[in-house]
């Protein structure tokens, strides 16, 4: 997490093809099992089942979906990247996070983001958000949910597992946020920065490549 605040001057839009984890194949699950064992496969399988169960509920309810995504990934054990992956900053795919049953704040946020997009939630409602966790004096990542573009966001977090409006999270200082469509600086929430992120945020581009490979 120590490198989270660098490279912002060039960061912006990078369209990541949105995978549908409701359709996670048995072949993909077999890859998880080969790498992480039977328990890893079961966690990924249970996630797929949960997504399909939520998708079948009519009418679809954003509130129920964000609670389910938040709760599911917050069950994963917190591990620092250097201890878990041998790297200072590693962005894991949802299947890596669930398979290994370990991750840190960006892995939780990524898992929640792709849970909700797999349920058909528009990316305009979701922004992975870099903040400073003031109580810990650390860079941190959460997922913000916007009911409408002008709404106050709700914060999906692993430090405080209760989903709260941003105004009630005074312990978090927002820096910037992004989704598959663009980046917003905290001081200009309504205006996305334009440009190419593939070269300037390798972690996001690398995440796209890993997701594609593990779902083949």
């Amino acid at each position: 997490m120590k490198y989270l605040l660098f490279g912002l001057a060039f960061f912006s839009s990078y369209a990541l093809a949105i995978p549908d984890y409701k359709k996670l194949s048995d072949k993909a699950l077999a890859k998880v099992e080969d790498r992480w064992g039977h328990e890893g496969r079961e966690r990924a399988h249970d996630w797929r089942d949960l997504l399909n169960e939520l998708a079948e509920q009519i009418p679809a309810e954003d509130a129920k979906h964000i609670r389910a995504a938040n709760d599911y990934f917050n069950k994963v054990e917190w591990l620092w990247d250097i201890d878990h992956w041998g790297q200072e900053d590693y962005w894991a795919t949802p299947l890596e996070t669930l398979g290994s049953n370990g991750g840190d704040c960006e892995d939780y946020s990524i898992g929640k983001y792709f849970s909700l997009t797999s349920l058909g939630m528009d990316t305009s409602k979701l922004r992975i958000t870099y903040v400073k966790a003031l109580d810990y004096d650390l860079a941190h990542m959460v997922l913000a949910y916007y009911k409408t573009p002008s709404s106050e966001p709700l914060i999906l977090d692993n430090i405080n597992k209760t989903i709260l409006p941003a105004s009630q999270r005074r312990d978090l200082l927002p820096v910037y946020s992004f989704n598959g469509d663009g980046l917003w600086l905290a001081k200009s929430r309504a205006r996305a920065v334009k440009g190419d992120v593939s070269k300037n945020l390798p972690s996001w581009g690398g995440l796209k490549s890993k997701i594609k490979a593990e779902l083949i």
Side-chain angles (χ1 to χ4, degrees), residues 133-166:
L134 299 176
D135 291 345
Y136 299 92
D137 193 27
L138 289 172
H140 183 50
M141 180 187 274
V142 299
L143 181 65
Y145 162 81
Y146 295 79
K147 185 175 182 179
T148 70
S150 60
S151 296
E152 178 183 11
L154 299 176
I155 303 303
L156 285 66
D157 187 16
N158 63 283
I159 292 178
N160 184 339
K161 296 178 172 60
T162 302
I163 297 173
L164 294 170

Side-chain angles (χ1 to χ4, degrees), residues 21-162:
Y21 284 101
K22 298 192 309 301
K23 299 178 181 178
L24 186 63
S25 70
D26 290 339
K27 181 179 178 181
L29 288 171
K31 289 182 181 180
V32 174
E33 185 167 14
D34 287 344
R35 189 175 181 188
W36 308 111
H38 178 71
E39 291 185 355
R41 178 192 176 109
E42 285 301 298
R43 286 187 291 270
H45 185 278
D46 290 347
W47 180 47
R48 182 183 71 178
D49 284 353
L50 172 64
L51 294 177
N52 279 286
E53 178 183 340
L54 291 168
E56 291 170 0
Q57 296 175 2
I58 304 297
E61 297 181 18
D62 281 6
K64 181 178 290 186
H65 290 178
I66 64 173
R67 283 196 304 271
N70 196 53
D71 291 346
Y72 197 81
F73 276 88
N74 281 346
K75 293 186 296 184
V76 172
E77 181 182 0
W78 170 276
L79 294 171
W80 292 103
D81 283 339
I82 192 65
D83 298 323
H84 192 36
W85 301 108
Q87 301 180 31
E88 290 287 350
D89 188 36
Y90 183 87
W91 289 21
T93 71
L95 293 184
E96 287 180 316
T97 299
L98 294 176
S100 66
N101 196 30
D104 65 3
C105 56
E106 72 262 25
D107 306 322
Y108 298 140
S109 299
I110 289 165
K112 295 168 189 179
Y113 176 86
F114 285 111
S115 295
L116 295 169
T117 56
S118 291
L119 290 168
M121 189 173 291
D122 196 290
T123 56
S124 66
K125 292 186 173 184
L126 301 170
R127 295 186 190 176
I128 298 171
T129 304
Y130 282 122
V131 300
K132 184 174 183 179
L134 299 176
D135 291 345
Y136 299 92
D137 193 27
L138 289 172
H140 183 50
M141 180 187 274
V142 299
L143 181 65
Y145 162 81
Y146 295 79
K147 185 175 182 179
T148 70
S150 60
S151 296
E152 178 183 11
L154 299 176
I155 303 303
L156 285 66
D157 187 16
N158 63 283
I159 292 178
N160 184 339
K161 296 178 172 60
T162 302

